[in-house]
Amino acid sequence: MKTFKLSIIALLFSAMTTPIFAQNADEVISKYFTTIGGIEKLKPLKGVKMEMTVDAQGMEIPVELVQLTGGKMYVKISMQGKEITQVASDGNTIWNTNFMTMKAEKSDAETTANAILSNNDFPDALLDYKAKGYAADFVGKETKEGTECFKIKFTKKPVTVDGVKMDDITYYYFDTENFLAIATETEIKQGPMKGQKSISTMSDYQEVDGLLFPFAMNMGGQNMKVKKITLNPIVADKAFAFPTE
């Protein structure tokens, strides 16, 4: 009996002296939203326009990224005085510019179907994720980019790759001090790099109208620097539509 009492005391003492930290995916995600400005400010957001530069072999290429609700988006680049729509979507049709012919081309049915699955992800896939049919699981702690992080496994609806259904999984890394997302990690599902990890990093968070956004990113090995962010931009529908000519 004495041993049993001592064990209980030891457990209580351990609980009191062990640092308390979030071990639940919902807790981590909730604190992340609080840190970046709050769900009440994020939910009303209808669109974001980012003006940035991308480092391409020592050259800084101007890039304009626009994302709106309903899956509308485009990425435009400026090269040699010309503005080129690299990729765009009106929510139903995904298209890009063929850099060999400089003509617009629609994406194949599989790519289009996969993209439409994410139409409701703006402004953040983690927002109301359960209602979207997604899942989030706490994995543990891991050091990423030299920072101690909470690692979350985020599973969206399956995508189709070469006719085969595959889980769409992204690992999020939130720093344990501020709960900011500093990196994401996914597995490349096709092409010459199939099976390898694709890592994106985010840093230099700055406030824009009460919300925090990363102003420095690295995606696919390309460094991006954000110059300006505009919330709820007014953009004509034709900017997203597949060109008729």
Side-chain angles (χ1 to χ4, degrees):
M1 183 64 71
K2 184 177 180 181
T3 302
F4 176 76
K5 288 181 178 179
L6 287 174
S7 297
I8 293 295
I9 292 172
L11 285 171
L12 289 172
F13 181 77
S14 176
M16 292 171 62
T17 56
T18 301
I20 298 174
F21 59 90
Q23 297 186 45
N24 176 282
D26 284 338
E27 291 177 17
V28 174
I29 293 171
S30 176
K31 290 181 179 180
Y32 156 68
F33 283 131
T34 298
T35 297
I36 65 172
I39 291 177
E40 67 281 356
K41 290 183 180 179
L42 197 63
K43 275 190 173 183
L45 200 59
K46 301 300 181 184
V48 171
K49 176 182 176 182
M50 292 186 176
E51 298 169 55
M52 64 183 83
T53 58
V54 175
D55 183 6
Q57 297 179 343
M59 294 189 302
E60 284 195 344
I61 298 177
V63 176
E64 181 177 291
L65 165 66
V66 170
Q67 285 184 293
L68 305 183
T69 54
K72 292 182 179 180
M73 63 81 65
Y74 69 67
V75 177
K76 293 182 179 180
I77 63 175
S78 297
M79 293 183 66
Q80 299 177 341
K82 293 183 179 180
E83 187 177 73
I84 304 168
T85 300
Q86 189 172 18
V87 63
S89 171
D90 61 5
N92 295 300
T93 300
I94 318 297
W95 58 279
N96 59 75
T97 299
N98 184 316
F99 281 83
M100 296 294 291
T101 64
M102 295 307 294
K103 292 183 178 181
E105 296 180 350
K106 293 183 180 181
S107 296
D108 58 56
E110 191 172 272
T111 300
T112 300
N114 289 336
I116 289 175
L117 289 175
S118 299
N119 273 0
N120 294 323
D121 285 359
F122 182 87
D124 196 309
L126 295 168
L127 187 64
D128 294 331
Y129 73 89
K130 291 179 182 178
K132 300 171 186 173
Y134 303 162
D137 299 290
F138 183 84
V139 178
K141 281 185 175 182
E142 188 171 317
T143 299
K144 204 72 172 178
E145 300 297 307
T147 302
E148 184 181 57
C149 297
F150 294 122
K151 184 178 181 180
I152 300 294
K153 179 183 178 182
F154 189 61
T155 307
K156 296 173 60 175
K157 294 178 181 179
V159 293
T160 304
V161 180
D162 297 330
V164 179
K165 289 282 186 180
M166 293 187 176
D167 289 335
D168 187 5
I169 298 172
T170 299
Y171 289 95
Y172 281 78
Y173 295 87
F174 300 91
D175 79 83
T176 57
E177 183 178 356
N178 301 307
F179 290 89
L180 287 172
I182 66 167
T184 60
E185 183 180 281
T186 60
E187 181 181 318
I188 299 172
K189 294 180 172 60
Q190 59 186 166
M193 297 183 68
K194 181 179 179 180
Q196 296 185 38
K197 295 178 180 178
S198 174
I199 300 173
S200 299
T201 61
M202 297 79 70
S203 59
D204 189 23
Y205 277 83
Q206 298 181 33
E207 184 179 334
V208 180
D209 296 339
L211 288 168
L212 292 182
F213 292 89
F215 271 63
M217 296 172 281
N218 184 290
M219 298 182 180
Q222 287 190 317
N223 289 317
M224 303 179 182
K225 293 181 180 179
V226 178
K227 304 295 185 181
K228 181 182 178 182
I229 292 180
T230 304
L231 303 187
N232 300 317
I234 298 174
V235 184
D237 287 342
K238 65 180 182 180
F240 310 99
F242 183 77
T244 55
E245 297 180 2

